[in-house]
Amino acid sequence: MAGDDVEDLNRLLATLGFRHGPAATVTAETMAGIEQLRRYLGATDHGVFRPDWSIHLSNRQLTVEQTEVTVASPAPAAGAKLFTAAARLTEARLVVKGTLPLQNRQPKEQPDKASPTEVSNTGGRAYSVPVQGRVLSAGTPLPVDASRQRIGAEGLPALQAQLESGASSASAFVETPVPAGSIVLPAAAVRSGISGNHCVIRALDDGTAKVRVDVIGEALGRVIVAGEILPGQPVLASSGKAGPCE
C-alpha cells in the first residue's frame, strides 16, 4: 500500500489524466484511478492493478524498426522482446571536407581485426562554423551548438531524415555573409606563392601588376579576397606570363 512502486503508479495515473493519490500512498483516489485505467484498457481484473497492463519505455517517443509480436497472439512473458527500436542520431560533428577516412571494412579473412590506423583515424579534422555562418544540408538550415563544431540537438531529427540508410556521414555547405570590403573572384584568378601569400594580376592600360590579397573564404569555385583590389577593377584569370606571387 506504500513505496516507490506506488509512487510510480500514481505518477502513471496522473500522466494519463486519471484520478490518483498523493506521492507514494494508495488512497481511494488511487483505486478510482486504477478502475479508470482498467476500463480504458478493457481489462477484466477489478480492484487491482496488474503491472502487465503496461509497458515501460525509457523515451517518451520511440521509432520502431521491427516488431516481435503479432496481433491476437498470446501475451508475451515478462521480459520478452517486443520490438527493435530504429537507430537514432545522437550527435553530428562538423569536419573538414575530405578528412573523413573510408568507412572501416574488415577483410573477409580477418573479420575480427582492424589496423591501428583504422581505429584511431575515424573522426576527421574538426571544422568550426564562423559566427555569422550557417550550415545548410540539402537546402535545410541546421543549427549548431555553442562549440560551433556540432549540429545542435534540435537539428538532429532533420539531419537524420536526410541520411541514407546506414550512412555515417553527409555533405553540407557553410554559408557566410561576404565581409564588407571584400570581393568574390573566380578561383582561377587568385595565385599562390611559395611562402603562402596570395595575389591577383590586375590588368592595366600599359600592362599588368601583381596585387597582394588575403583569402577570406572559398566555395563552389569562387574565392573571397580582401586587399589592394577594388570592385570593378579587371583582373586576369590563369595568366601564365605573370608568374607566381612573391
Side-chain angles (χ1 to χ4, degrees), residues 96-115:
V96 178
K97 182 179 180 180
T99 64
L100 273 178
L102 294 176
Q103 291 187 4
N104 297 336
R105 296 184 183 274
Q106 309 302 332
K108 292 182 179 179
E109 62 274 14
Q110 295 180 332
D112 298 326
K113 295 182 179 180
S115 69

Side-chain angles (χ1 to χ4, degrees), residues 197-222:
N197 294 331
H198 295 89
C199 68
V200 296
I201 309 303
R202 181 182 169 189
L204 304 175
D205 293 338
D206 56 351
T208 60
K210 294 179 182 178
V211 179
R212 171 76 181 272
V213 294
D214 295 319
V215 175
I216 300 175
E218 56 181 309
L220 301 176
R222 297 177 299 171

Side-chain angles (χ1 to χ4, degrees), residues 18 30 53 74 79 92 129 136 140 150 152-153 162 180 182 195 216 234 236 244:
F18 299 148
T30 302
W53 285 353
V129 178
L136 296 174
T140 302
R150 289 178 171 82
Q162 298 171 11
S182 60
S195 61
I216 300 175
L236 303 182

Side-chain angles (χ1 to χ4, degrees), residues 32-231:
I34 290 174
E35 178 61 18
Q36 288 178 303
L37 177 61
R38 182 196 68 78
R39 292 197 301 267
Y40 175 75
L41 298 175
T44 57
D45 304 89
H46 292 269
V48 63
F49 171 74
R50 296 182 58 87
D52 57 8
W53 285 353
S54 63
I55 300 172
H56 173 73
L57 298 177
S58 56
N59 299 320
R60 295 182 61 87
Q61 183 174 349
L62 191 66
T63 301
V64 176
E65 181 175 289
Q66 181 176 345
T67 303
E68 310 294 339
V69 294
T70 58
V71 176
S73 63
K81 185 177 180 179
L82 301 180
F83 44 73
T84 301
R88 182 170 59 91
L89 186 64
T90 59
E91 182 186 45
R93 297 180 300 106
L94 297 164
V95 298
V96 178
K97 182 179 180 180
T99 64
L100 273 178
L102 294 176
Q103 291 187 4
N104 297 336
R105 296 184 183 274
Q106 309 302 332
K108 292 182 179 179
E109 62 274 14
Q110 295 180 332
D112 298 326
K113 295 182 179 180
S115 69
T117 301
E118 288 178 323
V119 173
S120 60
N121 186 26
T122 58
R125 190 164 76 249
Y127 176 83
S128 298
V129 178
V131 174
Q132 299 299 325
R134 64 173 185 166
V135 177
L136 296 174
S137 179
T140 302
L142 299 176
V144 295
D145 65 5
S147 72
R148 306 199 69 79
Q149 293 185 351
R150 289 178 171 82
I151 299 301
E154 62 274 28
L156 293 178
L159 179 58
Q160 181 167 350
Q162 298 171 11
L163 287 176
E164 296 182 7
S165 178
S168 60
S169 63
S171 297
F173 292 100
V174 176
E175 182 182 74
T176 57
V178 176
S182 60
I183 301 173
V184 179
L185 296 174
V190 181
R191 309 176 69 85
S192 300
I194 298 177
S195 61
N197 294 331
H198 295 89
C199 68
V200 296
I201 309 303
R202 181 182 169 189
L204 304 175
D205 293 338
D206 56 351
T208 60
K210 294 179 182 178
V211 179
R212 171 76 181 272
V213 294
D214 295 319
V215 175
I216 300 175
E218 56 181 309
L220 301 176
R222 297 177 299 171
V223 178
I224 304 173
V225 301
E228 300 175 6
I229 186 74
L230 299 176

